[in-house]
Amino acid sequence: MFLNSRLLRTSHIKFYRTLRLEHPNCRRMAARIAPQVHKEIRLTDAEDKLCNLLDEFTQHLKEEEGIVTACRINGGWVRDKLLGHDCNDVDICLADMMGIPFVERFVAFLSEKKHLPVHKVTKIESNPDQSKHLETARTSLFDIDLDFVNLRSEEYAEHSRIPTEVKFGTPLEDALRRDITINTLFYNIHTRSVEDHTEKGLDDLRNGIIRTPLPPLQTFRDDPLRVIRCVRFASRLGFEMIPELQDAARDQAIQQALASKISRERIGEELDKMMKGVEPLRAVQIIHDLSLYHSIFQIPAEISSVASAAVAASELSLTACTILHNLLSPSSPKAQKPAILPHPTLLVHALNDKGTKARFFMAASLFPFAGITYKDHKQKVHPLVEAVIREGLKLGNKNYYLDGIQALYDAAAITKGLSLNEDRFRMPSERVAIGLLLRHTKVHKPTSGSHWSSSLLFSLVCELVPLGNGQEAEKCIQRYNAFTSRVEGLGLDKLVDARPLLNGNEIISVTGGKPGPQTAVMLAKVVEWQLEHPDGDKDACISWLKEEHSSGRFSVQELTESTSGAKRIQAESRGSSKKAKRAPQ
């Protein structure tokens, strides 16, 4: 399916340079976007009630128990509200008080004094591997999810991202330990004002700047995961990283720390958020500009050492993602519009389903690993793409990443060079051959996120990667468009999910045989008959089957060898055959 690594390293360079020069989103750290920032936070009615209750409760604590504390909403809620976005997750920092004792008293106050129903309090234990360095108290009120934790300061050991000391801190100390300045802002619920203790957060938000509150090398040494969070927020918001931060992110020691100090689950989680964000292409671009690709898309040494080939140039992932972006969003101001647009049917699933789009960009990001395999300790062959997802990013089958992405590459191998002029679409007939291809489990399997149209789109992306922007690329798109039009012209798009007219029991009843391999083969032939006779009904199918069987035209061995694209039909028949075995003879 795929060119070898050496060929890909050279064949993509011209196209990649073209992208770098012509594609606005692929220029080094594209110009920042100056956002519209509100001068003050506008609370919803529910948020206003919440702030009033928290203010009243802190007065109650002081008067009744002599406990002095203050409540500040921090982080993402403040940032998003200033940008005019709604946010239903509210993180509240408490001065000199832990979250659990505060919330337990707050819930009792609401119940006894205000007669308000509140959800039970959940204690989230500290989990440094998941960036939870302190226990958190969680509840909800007025359909707002609330997390309570104390203001804190942290100190880190040289070789760990887990703080060696966590203690009560001031708002400034708490702000300085955070990842970027736009996430250091507080909303004081008592004064109803935004607090910018670093004196940089508001300006950076207005100017579209990603900056760390402390010198970036210090911030990244304390927690290298912050490098990846900077990438995510820069891509999500369209902000620009300051040069000092970029240099720190490229620092070899910091990049090595990403591999040794950060759990792969956390890296996978951040990457998943980037792929599901508004600008996944920009995220991939920044990853490449900061030379972070191999720190993020990593595989264990024991797997890479037995890989069937070297991983191709990392720039290929950017090439693949750029092509995908251009096909999906040709009218976007950041897109380089193709001379020929893909057939609308090819785009529908990726455009209408966020999960599919995220899976596509994740798959395109993994292009350098495509076509490479390795053997496990049992000598079983696995695709290297699977290892990156399972071991390098620990994503598992979230959003069908593990099964769905490899299925996309398998489908691309099956459909490579797709053209109506191919011999494979002439026998046994064009209708049947195309229909069986569409029904292949690697091409179309909705239960694992695969749809024939999206599989063809990704195959098109794979074919375009080494072709550049010239006539060959245009011819490639035309081939896929013509094939898709033919699918719809034949009405095969409506038959791709059609179940066989006859099940295993019915086939056995018609042929008078016993359950076995021949049942699956005959079931596959029933599907072929359906594809060839779209208007045929069950009775007509039974008549045909009787004639085929009585004439002796069914040879199980020959049919098994000649029936392609019928794996799913055979799988479906296994259940029918088991039922048949239990049926009275």
Side-chain angles (χ1 to χ4, degrees):
M1 156 59 199
F2 300 99
L3 302 176
N4 65 48
S5 300
R6 181 175 296 177
L7 286 175
L8 281 173
R9 281 192 174 94
T10 55
S11 65
H12 82 281
I13 289 177
K14 182 177 180 181
F15 181 49
Y16 177 65
R17 286 174 176 167
T18 301
L19 294 175
R20 300 277 293 188
L21 292 171
E22 297 181 7
H23 195 303
N25 205 31
C26 292
R27 296 188 186 118
R28 193 176 190 81
M29 290 299 162
R32 62 181 175 269
I33 301 170
Q36 296 294 318
V37 179
H38 294 306
K39 293 182 179 180
E40 60 182 23
I41 285 180
R42 302 166 186 173
L43 300 178
T44 64
D45 290 342
E47 291 166 344
D48 184 59
K49 291 178 184 178
L50 172 65
C51 289
N52 285 333
L53 288 169
L54 286 169
D55 184 49
E56 185 178 347
F57 175 62
T58 55
Q59 293 297 320
H60 172 82
L61 275 181
K62 181 178 180 180
E63 295 168 1
E64 298 296 324
E65 299 188 48
I67 297 175
V68 178
T69 187
C71 299
R72 292 176 172 86
I73 304 176
N74 71 282
W77 181 89
V78 184
R79 178 198 66 234
D80 288 348
K81 293 293 285 188
L82 287 171
L83 291 173
H85 305 315
D86 290 330
C87 183
N88 196 51
D89 297 325
V90 175
D91 298 332
I92 298 174
C93 286
L94 306 169
D96 301 314
M97 189 173 186
M98 298 291 287
I100 290 293
F102 179 91
V103 176
E104 289 176 343
R105 289 173 169 84
F106 182 48
V107 168
F109 170 80
L110 294 175
S111 178
E112 297 168 8
K113 302 292 185 181
K114 300 298 180 179
H115 307 291
L116 288 172
V118 186
H119 285 265
K120 67 177 183 178
V121 178
T122 302
K123 180 180 179 180
I124 310 298
E125 300 287 352
S126 62
N127 185 349
D129 285 339
Q130 298 297 319
S131 289
K132 289 287 186 183
H133 299 147
L134 282 181
E135 68 178 33
T136 302
R138 178 167 295 172
T139 188
S140 62
L141 180 64
F142 307 134
D143 293 325
I144 300 172
D145 296 324
L146 304 172
D147 279 2
F148 294 81
V149 70
N150 58 283
L151 290 169
R152 60 199 185 273
S153 65
E154 300 171 346
E155 294 182 5
Y156 293 83
E158 182 178 355
H159 299 294
S160 174
R161 63 180 291 268
I162 301 174
T164 56
E165 183 179 8
V166 180
K167 58 185 180 180
F168 287 124
T170 64
L172 176 59
E173 288 174 325
D174 192 277
L176 292 176
R177 69 171 185 83
R178 296 182 180 272
D179 48 10
I180 51 179
T181 55
I182 62 173
N183 291 340
T184 66
L185 301 171
F186 292 97
Y187 180 73
N188 190 314
I189 64 104
H190 310 291
T191 63
R192 300 296 180 97
S193 61
V194 175
E195 298 176 348
D196 183 5
H197 293 279
T198 67
E199 300 182 351
K200 297 176 182 176
L202 284 172
D203 284 342
D204 287 346
L205 191 64
R206 296 186 186 105
N207 295 321
I209 294 292
I210 299 294
R211 183 201 315 270
T212 53
L214 294 173
L217 273 176
Q218 179 181 341
T219 296
F220 295 158
R221 286 193 189 108
D222 287 345
D223 185 355
L225 182 66
R226 291 166 177 165
V227 175
I228 302 178
R229 286 177 58 82
C230 287
V231 175
R232 176 160 68 88
F233 284 111
S235 63
R236 171 187 166 186
L237 300 173
F239 286 11
E240 183 183 5
M241 299 176 177
I242 62 170
E244 294 83 359
L245 188 151
Q246 296 179 43
D247 292 341
R250 295 187 186 102
D251 184 89
Q252 288 298 309
I254 296 299
Q255 296 196 0
Q256 290 173 4
L258 274 173
S260 62
K261 294 175 68 174
I262 307 299
S263 71
R264 304 313 300 177
E265 289 90 346
R266 292 293 290 128
I267 292 176
E269 181 181 331
E270 290 294 324
L271 189 63
D272 175 51
K273 291 177 180 177
M274 293 182 210
M275 297 300 105
K276 291 177 178 176
V278 294
E279 285 286 355
L281 173 60
R282 179 169 165 79
V284 175
Q285 171 62 46
I286 297 173
I287 287 170
H288 282 278
D289 282 345
L290 299 181
S291 302
L292 291 169
Y293 186 83
H294 293 293
S295 297
I296 293 174
F297 297 93
Q298 190 181 72
I299 50 176
E302 61 269 23
I303 292 179
S304 61
S305 63
V306 294
S308 62
V311 176
S314 61
E315 289 85 357
L316 284 170
S317 70
L318 178 58
T319 302
C321 286
T322 302
I323 291 170
L324 177 60
H325 175 83
N326 290 341
L327 294 178
L328 291 177
S329 307
S331 59
S332 166
K334 297 179 181 179
Q336 186 176 354
K337 186 175 181 179
I340 298 175
L341 297 178
H343 194 291
T345 297
L346 298 179
L347 307 176
V348 64
H349 278 80
L351 291 177
N352 294 333
D353 183 78
K354 292 182 179 180
T356 298
K357 182 179 178 181
R359 190 161 58 255
F360 266 45
F361 275 100
M362 186 73 79
S365 299
L366 293 168
F367 194 93
F369 298 91
I372 305 174
T373 61
Y374 73 97
K375 292 182 180 179
D376 63 17
H377 65 284
K378 295 182 179 179
Q379 297 303 298
K380 183 178 179 181
V381 177
H382 300 273
L384 202 58
V385 165
E386 177 187 287
V388 181
I389 298 168
R390 188 184 61 246
E391 304 296 339
L393 299 172
K394 298 289 185 180
L395 285 170
N397 214 26
K398 178 180 184 180
N399 194 33
Y400 299 120
Y401 284 137
L402 187 59
D403 293 342
I405 288 178
Q406 185 54 47
L408 286 173
Y409 278 109
D410 289 341
I414 294 168
T415 59
K416 182 185 178 184
L418 191 68
S419 170
L420 291 171
N421 295 324
E422 291 183 86
D423 289 341
R424 60 171 163 168
F425 297 129
R426 294 173 184 167
M427 294 294 292
S429 72
E430 184 185 46
R431 284 191 60 86
V432 173
I434 293 177
L436 290 177
L437 175 68
L438 299 184
R439 292 176 66 93
H440 196 294
T441 54
K442 296 297 186 182
V443 176
H444 184 81
K445 191 177 182 181
T447 55
S448 62
S450 296
H451 189 274
W452 70 268
S453 61
S454 53
S455 294
L456 294 189
L457 174 63
F458 190 75
S459 179
L460 173 60
V461 171
C462 292
E463 287 205 48
L464 289 174
V465 167
L467 295 182
N469 293 320
Q471 292 183 351
E472 290 303 313
E474 293 179 14
K475 291 178 181 178
C476 183
I477 297 174
Q478 287 174 336
R479 283 192 286 107
Y480 277 79
N481 286 352
F483 185 87
T484 306
S485 295
R486 187 59 175 158
V487 168
E488 294 185 339
L490 293 172
L492 291 170
D493 54 319
K494 299 177 177 63
L495 295 175
V496 70
D497 289 314
R499 295 189 64 81
L501 287 172
L502 305 178
N503 61 32
N505 280 330
E506 291 167 327
I507 287 175
I508 291 170
S509 177
V510 170
T511 60
K514 294 182 179 181
Q518 70 275 11
T519 307
V521 175
M522 291 181 183
L523 193 60
K525 298 303 288 185
V526 165
V527 171
E528 290 189 17
W529 184 89
Q530 285 180 237
L531 292 171
E532 190 67 71
H533 304 86
D535 298 324
D537 58 15
K538 188 171 185 176
D539 290 339
C541 185
I542 290 174
S543 298
W544 163 81
L545 181 59
K546 286 180 178 178
E547 182 180 349
E548 291 292 298
H549 182 260
S550 62
S551 65
R553 284 194 286 268
F554 276 143
S555 168
V556 173
Q557 181 177 353
E558 291 179 4
L559 289 175
T560 301
E561 294 174 353
S562 65
T563 301
S564 62
K567 292 183 179 180
R568 182 173 63 185
I569 304 308
Q570 295 174 13
E572 289 173 350
S573 73
R574 282 194 286 269
S576 300
S577 297
K578 290 178 182 177
K579 293 178 182 178
K581 290 178 182 179
R582 294 192 293 269
Q585 299 297 315

